[in-house]
C-alpha cells in the first residue's frame, strides 16, 4: 500500500537585483510517500546471516549503528513499526548478503 506520510515545508527567499530590489518569499512543499511491504521470514534470514558471520553481534551493531535490542527485534520480527529500507541495506552491507527486499 502507498500512504502519504509527511509534507515537508521550507521557505525559500528569491532576490532580484537591479534598480529596485525585490524580495519574494515562496513556500516549497514536498510530498514524501512511504511504501510498506511484508517480507515473511526476513528476520530468520537476518539471523542466519549473522550467525554465519565470524564477528560478534556487538561488532556488527557498531558497524551498522543499530542497537543490539533493535537487532534482536529485527531477527524476532517483533518491531513496533516497519523497519526502514535504510536499516535493511545497512544489515545487508554489513553481512555481505542480499536479503531479497525489493520494492517493485
Amino acid at each position: 500500500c502507498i500512504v502519504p506520510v509527511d509534507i515537508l515545508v521550507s521557505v525559500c527567499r528569491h532576490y532580484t537585483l537591479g534598480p529596485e530590489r525585490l524580495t519574494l518569499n515562496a513556500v516549497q512543499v514536498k510530498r514524501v510517500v512511504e511504501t510498506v511491504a511484508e517480507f515473511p521470514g526476513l528476520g530468520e534470514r537476518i539471523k542466519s546471516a549473522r550467525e554465519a558471520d565470524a564477528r560478534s553481534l556487538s561488532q556488527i551493531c557498531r558497524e551498522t549503528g543499530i542497537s543490539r535490542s533493535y537487532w534482536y527485534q529485527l531477527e524476532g520480527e517483533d518491531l513496533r513499526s516497519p523497519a526502514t529500507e535504510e536499516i535493511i541495506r545497512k544489515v545487508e552491507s554489513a553481512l555481505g548478503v542480499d536479503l531479497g527486499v525489493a520494492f517493485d
Side-chain angles (χ1 to χ4, degrees), residues 53-80:
D53 195 287
R55 296 169 294 166
S56 70
L57 177 58
S58 294
Q59 289 173 307
I60 295 168
C61 286
R62 272 194 302 276
E63 182 179 323
T64 59
I66 300 170
S67 71
R68 288 172 50 96
S69 62
Y70 188 80
W71 191 285
Y72 283 128
Q73 289 174 16
L74 276 171
E75 288 184 352
E77 298 184 7
D78 185 29
L79 299 172
R80 293 190 180 113

Side-chain angles (χ1 to χ4, degrees), residues 80-100:
R80 293 190 180 113
S81 62
T84 64
E85 185 177 11
E86 177 184 14
I87 292 288
I88 299 303
R89 300 301 173 229
K90 285 181 180 183
V91 170
E92 288 176 327
S93 177
L95 298 177
V97 297
D98 180 353
L99 295 169

Side-chain angles (χ1 to χ4, degrees), residues 1 35-42 45 77 82 100-103:
C1 65
T35 302
V36 178
E38 293 186 11
F39 296 93
L42 180 60
R45 292 195 300 277
E77 298 184 7
V101 174
F103 296 92

Side-chain angles (χ1 to χ4, degrees), residues 18-52:
E20 66 231 19
R21 189 170 184 175
L22 174 67
T23 302
L24 172 67
N25 290 330
V27 176
Q28 295 179 333
V29 179
K30 174 181 173 182
R31 174 179 273 173
V32 179
V33 178
E34 179 179 273
T35 302
V36 178
E38 293 186 11
F39 296 93
L42 180 60
E44 186 56 41
R45 292 195 300 277
I46 292 170
K47 183 177 182 178
S48 295
R50 176 184 58 83
E51 289 175 341

